[in-house]
Amino acid sequence: MTACLQPPDEHSLTRAAAGGDRDSLAELLRRVEPKLLRYCRARIGAAQSTDAGAEDVVQEVMLAAMDALPRYRADGAGFEAYVLGIARRKVADFHRANRRTVPTSTEDLPETTDDRPGPAQSAVDSECRTMVCALLHRLPQKQQDILTMRVVLGMSAEETARALNSTSGAVRVSQHRALEKLRALLGRPTTG
């Protein structure tokens, strides 16, 4: 009977990657990329009509994480929390830069068919995203991050607390307050 090989833990991977092991670095980035992309898509929202903005930010975060890896010190929060911290700053940079630039349109037509939802569904989806983003932006930054991590990324209160350098209790309280404020903004009765 052959023994099952366990995948390396995050601490071993970060130590090996910081030491220059390219395979460990690739595995670390592979592990964090899906959650990182969901986070960036959720936080960028309707600021960009395509996923290109979120994907660009993810690439910037990955490059910044690779550059910072030799200086990374495991503090209990983990590498994923470290990378999400970088992502928070890069998303803020994206929003600052997006306020200053005027989008340019392209007149090139695509050469392939598009299987995405039609214009009506896209308009409804876009309106919903715009409304959700507008509501979220009325909350303090920390509450925005908590709701994004808890609701969009599906992170536990403990994981969110590690990413935000907080406690799980504080995360739960802040999440509750954020949801109550959103209910009030929507004119719905609170649970209080």
Side-chain angles (χ1 to χ4, degrees), residues 137-155:
H137 281 90
R138 293 179 71 183
L139 297 174
Q141 182 67 43
K142 188 169 184 177
Q143 288 181 345
Q144 290 178 39
D145 288 334
I146 287 171
L147 287 180
T148 301
M149 289 178 187
R150 296 278 287 139
V151 177
V152 177
L153 299 179
M155 293 172 69

Side-chain angles (χ1 to χ4, degrees), residues 131 135 138 178-191:
M131 185 179 82
L135 283 170
R138 293 179 71 183
L179 291 173
E180 290 298 311
K181 183 169 184 178
L182 290 177
R183 282 186 192 98
L185 290 170
L186 289 170
R188 296 199 173 132
T190 60
T191 61

Side-chain angles (χ1 to χ4, degrees), residues 100-175:
R100 288 179 257 174
T101 60
V102 177
T104 57
S105 64
T106 179
E107 295 177 7
D108 296 332
L109 295 174
E111 295 181 20
T112 60
T113 60
D114 188 357
D115 295 331
R116 292 182 289 182
Q121 185 62 47
S122 294
V124 169
D125 292 346
S126 177
E127 186 176 329
C128 288
R129 278 192 304 272
T130 300
M131 185 179 82
V132 168
C133 286
L135 283 170
L136 278 176
H137 281 90
R138 293 179 71 183
L139 297 174
Q141 182 67 43
K142 188 169 184 177
Q143 288 181 345
Q144 290 178 39
D145 288 334
I146 287 171
L147 287 180
T148 301
M149 289 178 187
R150 296 278 287 139
V151 177
V152 177
L153 299 179
M155 293 172 69
S156 70
E158 291 74 18
E159 291 170 322
T160 303
R162 283 193 300 272
L164 298 174
N165 198 22
S166 185
T167 65
S168 59
V171 164
R172 287 184 186 97
V173 168
S174 187
Q175 177 182 346

Side-chain angles (χ1 to χ4, degrees), residues 61-84:
V61 172
M62 296 276 216
L63 288 171
M66 288 172 25
D67 286 344
L69 192 58
R71 296 180 303 281
Y72 169 74
R73 298 290 173 254
D75 62 357
F79 185 72
E80 184 178 277
Y82 180 72
V83 172
L84 283 172

